[in-house]
PDB file of all heavy atoms in Angstrom:
ATOM      1  N   GLY A 341     -28.146  43.933  19.173  1.00  0.00           N
ATOM      2  CA  GLY A 341     -28.189  42.744  20.010  1.00  0.00           C
ATOM      3  C   GLY A 341     -26.857  42.035  20.075  1.00  0.00           C
ATOM      4  O   GLY A 341     -25.845  42.630  20.460  1.00  0.00           O
ATOM      5  N   TYR A 342     -26.854  40.760  19.646  1.00  0.00           N
ATOM      6  CA  TYR A 342     -25.665  39.933  19.775  1.00  0.00           C
ATOM      7  C   TYR A 342     -25.500  39.054  18.534  1.00  0.00           C
ATOM      8  O   TYR A 342     -26.472  38.730  17.851  1.00  0.00           O
ATOM      9  CB  TYR A 342     -25.752  39.024  21.013  1.00  0.00           C
ATOM     10  CG  TYR A 342     -25.950  39.767  22.308  1.00  0.00           C
ATOM     11  CD1 TYR A 342     -27.245  39.981  22.812  1.00  0.00           C
ATOM     12  CD2 TYR A 342     -24.866  40.272  23.015  1.00  0.00           C
ATOM     13  CE1 TYR A 342     -27.428  40.672  23.996  1.00  0.00           C
ATOM     14  CE2 TYR A 342     -25.048  40.963  24.207  1.00  0.00           C
ATOM     15  CZ  TYR A 342     -26.325  41.154  24.686  1.00  0.00           C
ATOM     16  OH  TYR A 342     -26.521  41.851  25.848  1.00  0.00           O
ATOM     17  N   ARG A 343     -24.245  38.679  18.289  1.00  0.00           N
ATOM     18  CA  ARG A 343     -23.965  37.720  17.233  1.00  0.00           C
ATOM     19  C   ARG A 343     -22.901  36.750  17.716  1.00  0.00           C
ATOM     20  O   ARG A 343     -22.034  37.109  18.522  1.00  0.00           O
ATOM     21  CB  ARG A 343     -23.507  38.416  15.950  1.00  0.00           C
ATOM     22  CG  ARG A 343     -22.206  39.173  16.055  1.00  0.00           C
ATOM     23  CD  ARG A 343     -21.932  39.984  14.787  1.00  0.00           C
ATOM     24  NE  ARG A 343     -21.574  39.124  13.676  1.00  0.00           N
ATOM     25  CZ  ARG A 343     -20.330  39.001  13.210  1.00  0.00           C
ATOM     26  NH1 ARG A 343     -19.330  39.690  13.781  1.00  0.00           N
ATOM     27  NH2 ARG A 343     -20.067  38.231  12.196  1.00  0.00           N
ATOM     28  N   LEU A 344     -23.003  35.502  17.244  1.00  0.00           N
ATOM     29  CA  LEU A 344     -22.030  34.475  17.585  1.00  0.00           C
ATOM     30  C   LEU A 344     -21.100  34.294  16.397  1.00  0.00           C
ATOM     31  O   LEU A 344     -21.540  33.968  15.295  1.00  0.00           O
ATOM     32  CB  LEU A 344     -22.742  33.155  17.905  1.00  0.00           C
ATOM     33  CG  LEU A 344     -21.852  32.005  18.381  1.00  0.00           C
ATOM     34  CD1 LEU A 344     -21.263  32.323  19.756  1.00  0.00           C
ATOM     35  CD2 LEU A 344     -22.652  30.696  18.441  1.00  0.00           C
ATOM     36  N   VAL A 345     -19.810  34.513  16.623  1.00  0.00           N
ATOM     37  CA  VAL A 345     -18.804  34.365  15.572  1.00  0.00           C
ATOM     38  C   VAL A 345     -18.217  32.966  15.691  1.00  0.00           C
ATOM     39  O   VAL A 345     -17.609  32.634  16.709  1.00  0.00           O
ATOM     40  CB  VAL A 345     -17.704  35.435  15.701  1.00  0.00           C
ATOM     41  CG1 VAL A 345     -16.672  35.265  14.594  1.00  0.00           C
ATOM     42  CG2 VAL A 345     -18.315  36.832  15.667  1.00  0.00           C
ATOM     43  N   PHE A 346     -18.405  32.148  14.671  1.00  0.00           N
ATOM     44  CA  PHE A 346     -17.894  30.779  14.721  1.00  0.00           C
ATOM     45  C   PHE A 346     -17.596  30.290  13.312  1.00  0.00           C
ATOM     46  O   PHE A 346     -18.168  30.776  12.339  1.00  0.00           O
ATOM     47  CB  PHE A 346     -18.889  29.835  15.407  1.00  0.00           C
ATOM     48  CG  PHE A 346     -20.188  29.653  14.685  1.00  0.00           C
ATOM     49  CD1 PHE A 346     -20.412  28.537  13.893  1.00  0.00           C
ATOM     50  CD2 PHE A 346     -21.208  30.597  14.790  1.00  0.00           C
ATOM     51  CE1 PHE A 346     -21.613  28.359  13.223  1.00  0.00           C
ATOM     52  CE2 PHE A 346     -22.408  30.426  14.137  1.00  0.00           C
ATOM     53  CZ  PHE A 346     -22.611  29.308  13.340  1.00  0.00           C
ATOM     54  N   ASP A 347     -16.701  29.333  13.247  1.00  0.00           N
ATOM     55  CA  ASP A 347     -16.354  28.699  11.982  1.00  0.00           C
ATOM     56  C   ASP A 347     -17.428  27.660  11.663  1.00  0.00           C
ATOM     57  O   ASP A 347     -17.609  26.714  12.444  1.00  0.00           O
ATOM     58  CB  ASP A 347     -14.979  28.039  12.104  1.00  0.00           C
ATOM     59  CG  ASP A 347     -14.554  27.335  10.829  1.00  0.00           C
ATOM     60  OD1 ASP A 347     -15.316  27.363   9.847  1.00  0.00           O
ATOM     61  OD2 ASP A 347     -13.450  26.759  10.815  1.00  0.00           O
ATOM     62  N   PRO A 348     -18.157  27.786  10.567  1.00  0.00           N
ATOM     63  CA  PRO A 348     -19.214  26.817  10.260  1.00  0.00           C
ATOM     64  C   PRO A 348     -18.727  25.368  10.235  1.00  0.00           C
ATOM     65  O   PRO A 348     -19.490  24.453  10.539  1.00  0.00           O
ATOM     66  CB  PRO A 348     -19.712  27.266   8.880  1.00  0.00           C
ATOM     67  CG  PRO A 348     -19.378  28.712   8.805  1.00  0.00           C
ATOM     68  CD  PRO A 348     -18.091  28.861   9.561  1.00  0.00           C
ATOM     69  N   GLU A 349     -17.455  25.146   9.888  1.00  0.00           N
ATOM     70  CA  GLU A 349     -16.927  23.794   9.835  1.00  0.00           C
ATOM     71  C   GLU A 349     -16.907  23.131  11.198  1.00  0.00           C
ATOM     72  O   GLU A 349     -16.796  21.908  11.303  1.00  0.00           O
ATOM     73  CB  GLU A 349     -15.510  23.806   9.249  1.00  0.00           C
ATOM     74  CG  GLU A 349     -15.431  24.214   7.791  1.00  0.00           C
ATOM     75  CD  GLU A 349     -16.068  23.190   6.868  1.00  0.00           C
ATOM     76  OE1 GLU A 349     -16.152  22.014   7.274  1.00  0.00           O
ATOM     77  OE2 GLU A 349     -16.483  23.563   5.764  1.00  0.00           O
ATOM     78  N   ARG A 350     -17.022  23.922  12.275  1.00  0.00           N
ATOM     79  CA  ARG A 350     -16.982  23.383  13.618  1.00  0.00           C
ATOM     80  C   ARG A 350     -18.376  23.091  14.167  1.00  0.00           C
ATOM     81  O   ARG A 350     -18.524  22.780  15.360  1.00  0.00           O
ATOM     82  CB  ARG A 350     -16.220  24.345  14.522  1.00  0.00           C
ATOM     83  CG  ARG A 350     -14.772  24.572  14.066  1.00  0.00           C
ATOM     84  CD  ARG A 350     -14.096  25.675  14.850  1.00  0.00           C
ATOM     85  NE  ARG A 350     -13.780  25.260  16.206  1.00  0.00           N
ATOM     86  CZ  ARG A 350     -12.656  24.636  16.551  1.00  0.00           C
ATOM     87  NH1 ARG A 350     -11.776  24.327  15.623  1.00  0.00           N
ATOM     88  NH2 ARG A 350     -12.431  24.316  17.797  1.00  0.00           N
ATOM     89  N   LEU A 351     -19.378  23.170  13.302  1.00  0.00           N
ATOM     90  CA  LEU A 351     -20.755  22.838  13.661  1.00  0.00           C
ATOM     91  C   LEU A 351     -21.151  21.562  12.933  1.00  0.00           C
ATOM     92  O   LEU A 351     -21.043  21.482  11.703  1.00  0.00           O
ATOM     93  CB  LEU A 351     -21.694  23.987  13.271  1.00  0.00           C
ATOM     94  CG  LEU A 351     -23.186  23.766  13.489  1.00  0.00           C
ATOM     95  CD1 LEU A 351     -23.513  23.583  14.960  1.00  0.00           C
ATOM     96  CD2 LEU A 351     -23.985  24.927  12.893  1.00  0.00           C
ATOM     97  N   ASP A 352     -21.612  20.545  13.664  1.00  0.00           N
ATOM     98  CA  ASP A 352     -21.903  19.248  13.039  1.00  0.00           C
ATOM     99  C   ASP A 352     -23.000  19.355  11.991  1.00  0.00           C
ATOM    100  O   ASP A 352     -22.982  18.629  10.984  1.00  0.00           O
ATOM    101  CB  ASP A 352     -22.252  18.195  14.088  1.00  0.00           C
ATOM    102  CG  ASP A 352     -23.468  18.551  14.935  1.00  0.00           C
ATOM    103  OD1 ASP A 352     -23.977  19.691  14.842  1.00  0.00           O
ATOM    104  OD2 ASP A 352     -23.911  17.679  15.730  1.00  0.00           O
ATOM    105  N   ALA A 353     -23.962  20.265  12.162  1.00  0.00           N
ATOM    106  CA  ALA A 353     -25.026  20.409  11.170  1.00  0.00           C
ATOM    107  C   ALA A 353     -24.462  20.877   9.832  1.00  0.00           C
ATOM    108  O   ALA A 353     -24.917  20.436   8.766  1.00  0.00           O
ATOM    109  CB  ALA A 353     -26.084  21.392  11.672  1.00  0.00           C
ATOM    110  N   HIS A 354     -23.469  21.751   9.873  1.00  0.00           N
ATOM    111  CA  HIS A 354     -22.842  22.209   8.629  1.00  0.00           C
ATOM    112  C   HIS A 354     -22.126  21.054   7.946  1.00  0.00           C
ATOM    113  O   HIS A 354     -22.217  20.895   6.717  1.00  0.00           O
ATOM    114  CB  HIS A 354     -21.868  23.343   8.928  1.00  0.00           C
ATOM    115  CG  HIS A 354     -21.114  23.829   7.723  1.00  0.00           C
ATOM    116  ND1 HIS A 354     -21.615  24.773   6.856  1.00  0.00           N
ATOM    117  CD2 HIS A 354     -19.901  23.469   7.223  1.00  0.00           C
ATOM    118  CE1 HIS A 354     -20.743  24.988   5.890  1.00  0.00           C
ATOM    119  NE2 HIS A 354     -19.698  24.203   6.079  1.00  0.00           N
ATOM    120  N   ARG A 355     -21.418  20.251   8.700  1.00  0.00           N
ATOM    121  CA  ARG A 355     -20.707  19.118   8.099  1.00  0.00           C
ATOM    122  C   ARG A 355     -21.689  18.101   7.531  1.00  0.00           C
ATOM    123  O   ARG A 355     -21.457  17.518   6.468  1.00  0.00           O
ATOM    124  CB  ARG A 355     -19.785  18.466   9.132  1.00  0.00           C
ATOM    125  CG  ARG A 355     -18.687  19.395   9.622  1.00  0.00           C
ATOM    126  CD  ARG A 355     -17.584  18.641  10.340  1.00  0.00           C
ATOM    127  NE  ARG A 355     -18.052  17.956  11.542  1.00  0.00           N
ATOM    128  CZ  ARG A 355     -18.179  18.526  12.727  1.00  0.00           C
ATOM    129  NH1 ARG A 355     -17.888  19.813  12.879  1.00  0.00           N
ATOM    130  NH2 ARG A 355     -18.583  17.838  13.764  1.00  0.00           N
ATOM    131  N   PHE A 356     -22.796  17.893   8.232  1.00  0.00           N
ATOM    132  CA  PHE A 356     -23.828  16.992   7.702  1.00  0.00           C
ATOM    133  C   PHE A 356     -24.353  17.498   6.365  1.00  0.00           C
ATOM    134  O   PHE A 356     -24.477  16.731   5.399  1.00  0.00           O
ATOM    135  CB  PHE A 356     -24.976  16.866   8.700  1.00  0.00           C
ATOM    136  CG  PHE A 356     -26.249  16.329   8.096  1.00  0.00           C
ATOM    137  CD1 PHE A 356     -26.371  14.985   7.774  1.00  0.00           C
ATOM    138  CD2 PHE A 356     -27.311  17.177   7.812  1.00  0.00           C
ATOM    139  CE1 PHE A 356     -27.531  14.491   7.193  1.00  0.00           C
ATOM    140  CE2 PHE A 356     -28.470  16.694   7.230  1.00  0.00           C
ATOM    141  CZ  PHE A 356     -28.579  15.341   6.919  1.00  0.00           C
ATOM    142  N   GLU A 357     -24.681  18.780   6.293  1.00  0.00           N
ATOM    143  CA  GLU A 357     -25.237  19.332   5.057  1.00  0.00           C
ATOM    144  C   GLU A 357     -24.231  19.255   3.912  1.00  0.00           C
ATOM    145  O   GLU A 357     -24.617  19.012   2.761  1.00  0.00           O
ATOM    146  CB  GLU A 357     -25.691  20.766   5.300  1.00  0.00           C
ATOM    147  CG  GLU A 357     -26.926  20.849   6.205  1.00  0.00           C
ATOM    148  CD  GLU A 357     -27.267  22.264   6.632  1.00  0.00           C
ATOM    149  OE1 GLU A 357     -26.379  23.142   6.519  1.00  0.00           O
ATOM    150  OE2 GLU A 357     -28.400  22.500   7.085  1.00  0.00           O
ATOM    151  N   ALA A 358     -22.951  19.460   4.223  1.00  0.00           N
ATOM    152  CA  ALA A 358     -21.925  19.366   3.177  1.00  0.00           C
ATOM    153  C   ALA A 358     -21.809  17.938   2.646  1.00  0.00           C
ATOM    154  O   ALA A 358     -21.728  17.709   1.429  1.00  0.00           O
ATOM    155  CB  ALA A 358     -20.582  19.847   3.722  1.00  0.00           C
ATOM    156  N   LEU A 359     -21.807  16.957   3.547  1.00  0.00           N
ATOM    157  CA  LEU A 359     -21.728  15.563   3.117  1.00  0.00           C
ATOM    158  C   LEU A 359     -22.998  15.141   2.381  1.00  0.00           C
ATOM    159  O   LEU A 359     -22.942  14.383   1.405  1.00  0.00           O
ATOM    160  CB  LEU A 359     -21.494  14.652   4.324  1.00  0.00           C
ATOM    161  CG  LEU A 359     -20.093  14.689   4.940  1.00  0.00           C
ATOM    162  CD1 LEU A 359     -20.068  13.901   6.250  1.00  0.00           C
ATOM    163  CD2 LEU A 359     -19.060  14.123   3.967  1.00  0.00           C
ATOM    164  N   HIS A 360     -24.146  15.635   2.835  1.00  0.00           N
ATOM    165  CA  HIS A 360     -25.403  15.327   2.157  1.00  0.00           C
ATOM    166  C   HIS A 360     -25.367  15.849   0.718  1.00  0.00           C
ATOM    167  O   HIS A 360     -25.736  15.137  -0.232  1.00  0.00           O
ATOM    168  CB  HIS A 360     -26.570  15.955   2.928  1.00  0.00           C
ATOM    169  CG  HIS A 360     -27.913  15.635   2.369  1.00  0.00           C
ATOM    170  ND1 HIS A 360     -29.059  16.351   2.690  1.00  0.00           N
ATOM    171  CD2 HIS A 360     -28.321  14.678   1.490  1.00  0.00           C
ATOM    172  CE1 HIS A 360     -30.085  15.855   2.045  1.00  0.00           C
ATOM    173  NE2 HIS A 360     -29.674  14.843   1.301  1.00  0.00           N
ATOM    174  N   ALA A 361     -24.920  17.089   0.553  1.00  0.00           N
ATOM    175  CA  ALA A 361     -24.830  17.663  -0.792  1.00  0.00           C
ATOM    176  C   ALA A 361     -23.843  16.879  -1.654  1.00  0.00           C
ATOM    177  O   ALA A 361     -24.087  16.631  -2.844  1.00  0.00           O
ATOM    178  CB  ALA A 361     -24.416  19.125  -0.708  1.00  0.00           C
ATOM    179  N   GLU A 362     -22.729  16.451  -1.060  1.00  0.00           N
ATOM    180  CA  GLU A 362     -21.758  15.656  -1.814  1.00  0.00           C
ATOM    181  C   GLU A 362     -22.362  14.321  -2.235  1.00  0.00           C
ATOM    182  O   GLU A 362     -22.177  13.867  -3.374  1.00  0.00           O
ATOM    183  CB  GLU A 362     -20.510  15.424  -0.971  1.00  0.00           C
ATOM    184  CG  GLU A 362     -19.420  14.643  -1.688  1.00  0.00           C
ATOM    185  CD  GLU A 362     -18.189  14.423  -0.825  1.00  0.00           C
ATOM    186  OE1 GLU A 362     -18.127  14.984   0.290  1.00  0.00           O
ATOM    187  OE2 GLU A 362     -17.299  13.666  -1.266  1.00  0.00           O
ATOM    188  N   GLY A 363     -23.096  13.692  -1.323  1.00  0.00           N
ATOM    189  CA  GLY A 363     -23.746  12.427  -1.651  1.00  0.00           C
ATOM    190  C   GLY A 363     -24.766  12.582  -2.759  1.00  0.00           C
ATOM    191  O   GLY A 363     -24.884  11.718  -3.647  1.00  0.00           O
ATOM    192  N   GLN A 364     -25.522  13.683  -2.738  1.00  0.00           N
ATOM    193  CA  GLN A 364     -26.489  13.944  -3.808  1.00  0.00           C
ATOM    194  C   GLN A 364     -25.779  14.076  -5.153  1.00  0.00           C
ATOM    195  O   GLN A 364     -26.258  13.558  -6.168  1.00  0.00           O
ATOM    196  CB  GLN A 364     -27.271  15.214  -3.496  1.00  0.00           C
ATOM    197  CG  GLN A 364     -28.255  15.075  -2.345  1.00  0.00           C
ATOM    198  CD  GLN A 364     -28.922  16.391  -2.001  1.00  0.00           C
ATOM    199  OE1 GLN A 364     -28.259  17.427  -1.856  1.00  0.00           O
ATOM    200  NE2 GLN A 364     -30.231  16.385  -1.855  1.00  0.00           N
ATOM    201  N   GLY A 365     -24.646  14.783  -5.147  1.00  0.00           N
ATOM    202  CA  GLY A 365     -23.903  14.948  -6.387  1.00  0.00           C
ATOM    203  C   GLY A 365     -23.363  13.637  -6.923  1.00  0.00           C
ATOM    204  O   GLY A 365     -23.425  13.369  -8.137  1.00  0.00           O
ATOM    205  N   LEU A 366     -22.842  12.794  -6.034  1.00  0.00           N
ATOM    206  CA  LEU A 366     -22.334  11.482  -6.451  1.00  0.00           C
ATOM    207  C   LEU A 366     -23.457  10.611  -6.983  1.00  0.00           C
ATOM    208  O   LEU A 366     -23.295   9.906  -7.991  1.00  0.00           O
ATOM    209  CB  LEU A 366     -21.642  10.800  -5.264  1.00  0.00           C
ATOM    210  CG  LEU A 366     -20.309  11.401  -4.823  1.00  0.00           C
ATOM    211  CD1 LEU A 366     -19.882  10.844  -3.474  1.00  0.00           C
ATOM    212  CD2 LEU A 366     -19.231  11.130  -5.875  1.00  0.00           C
ATOM    213  N   PHE A 367     -24.616  10.653  -6.323  1.00  0.00           N
ATOM    214  CA  PHE A 367     -25.758   9.857  -6.779  1.00  0.00           C
ATOM    215  C   PHE A 367     -26.193  10.307  -8.169  1.00  0.00           C
ATOM    216  O   PHE A 367     -26.431   9.481  -9.058  1.00  0.00           O
ATOM    217  CB  PHE A 367     -26.912   9.978  -5.795  1.00  0.00           C
ATOM    218  CG  PHE A 367     -28.090   9.098  -6.113  1.00  0.00           C
ATOM    219  CD1 PHE A 367     -28.208   7.836  -5.566  1.00  0.00           C
ATOM    220  CD2 PHE A 367     -29.093   9.535  -6.982  1.00  0.00           C
ATOM    221  CE1 PHE A 367     -29.288   7.029  -5.852  1.00  0.00           C
ATOM    222  CE2 PHE A 367     -30.169   8.729  -7.287  1.00  0.00           C
ATOM    223  CZ  PHE A 367     -30.268   7.464  -6.721  1.00  0.00           C
ATOM    224  N   ALA A 368     -26.299  11.613  -8.357  1.00  0.00           N
ATOM    225  CA  ALA A 368     -26.720  12.140  -9.659  1.00  0.00           C
ATOM    226  C   ALA A 368     -25.731  11.773 -10.751  1.00  0.00           C
ATOM    227  O   ALA A 368     -26.116  11.594 -11.912  1.00  0.00           O
ATOM    228  CB  ALA A 368     -26.880  13.660  -9.584  1.00  0.00           C
TER     229      ALA A 368
END
Side-chain angles (χ1 to χ4, degrees):
Y342 303 93
R343 64 188 288 255
L344 184 67
V345 180
F346 65 99
D347 179 0
E349 293 292 336
R350 300 172 73 87
L351 176 63
D352 60 352
H354 177 85
R355 297 195 298 276
F356 162 74
E357 290 171 342
L359 287 171
H360 183 197
E362 182 180 353
Q364 289 175 312
L366 289 168
F367 185 93

